[in-house]
Amino acid sequence: MDGVFCDENKSCTIDFSAAPWPSSYTIHSWISYSSRPIPYVFHEAKLFVLSDVDFVAETENELLLVEYKNANLSNAAHPEAFRPLEDKRLNRVAMKYYNSLQFLQVMNHGIDKKKRYVYILECLNGDRVLRKRVRELLAARLPFLLQQQMHMPRKMIDSVDVFSIEEWNEAYPDFPLRLQ
């Protein structure tokens, strides 16, 4: 079904069929409805230093960039070893936003729309307090202060959220995420 995508581990699906322009694995296996497919863009260009978010959807008003991490899956190896507050992990999650945004802008997606980054996080002890702290630490790595200091004509980011799957489904009922 067009607009329904699986994450890379085939652990969930997200239904972006209600979005005018949905994409999954935006950079690694590009899906574009306005041009020819560009598969494995970063990989084929041997740009292994670059990474992308898991899902992207462009709605009438916003560009949604979505990263999904679930360390609570039954087949997750050592879920207790996952450290969502670790600097290295947070830096990697932030870089996925920057790399994806730059690529999307070059491809003319979401230029004049609100840019929302949503990190869907499921992990041991992953309650609202932990997600709020992850959000604060992640926001400090994203260009909120830069765009304020530089008075940019267009924002690089408008908001960042860290949600559980349940919170995502409440906030975006038109784009349900379901575990496989």
Side-chain angles (χ1 to χ4, degrees), residues 61-152:
N61 302 315
E62 63 187 15
L63 183 66
L64 276 171
L65 294 93
V66 182
E67 178 64 13
Y68 171 76
K69 176 65 177 173
N70 192 339
N72 282 342
L73 298 171
S74 59
N75 62 349
H78 307 290
E80 70 283 352
F82 177 70
R83 306 273 185 260
L85 296 170
E86 185 179 65
D87 281 339
K88 186 177 178 181
R89 173 154 310 278
L90 289 165
N91 288 343
R92 219 175 6 245
V93 172
M95 285 308 299
K96 288 180 176 211
Y97 178 81
Y98 287 108
N99 294 163
S100 299
L101 180 66
Q102 183 177 20
F103 185 81
L104 289 164
Q105 288 183 333
V106 168
M107 299 300 289
N108 291 321
H109 286 287
I111 298 295
D112 293 320
K113 295 184 178 186
K114 289 187 176 188
K115 287 131 190 101
R116 295 192 186 274
Y117 190 23
V118 181
Y119 183 23
I120 301 171
L121 176 63
E122 295 283 348
C123 61
L124 292 176
N125 304 313
D127 60 6
R128 286 182 190 266
V129 175
L130 175 81
R131 286 190 299 278
K132 181 180 179 195
R133 183 66 181 142
V134 168
R135 187 208 167 280
E136 291 168 356
L137 293 171
L138 184 56
R141 290 164 166 80
L142 294 168
F144 292 103
L145 182 58
L146 174 67
Q147 66 192 14
Q148 180 183 358
Q149 291 172 334
M150 298 302 297
H151 306 288
M152 297 177 171

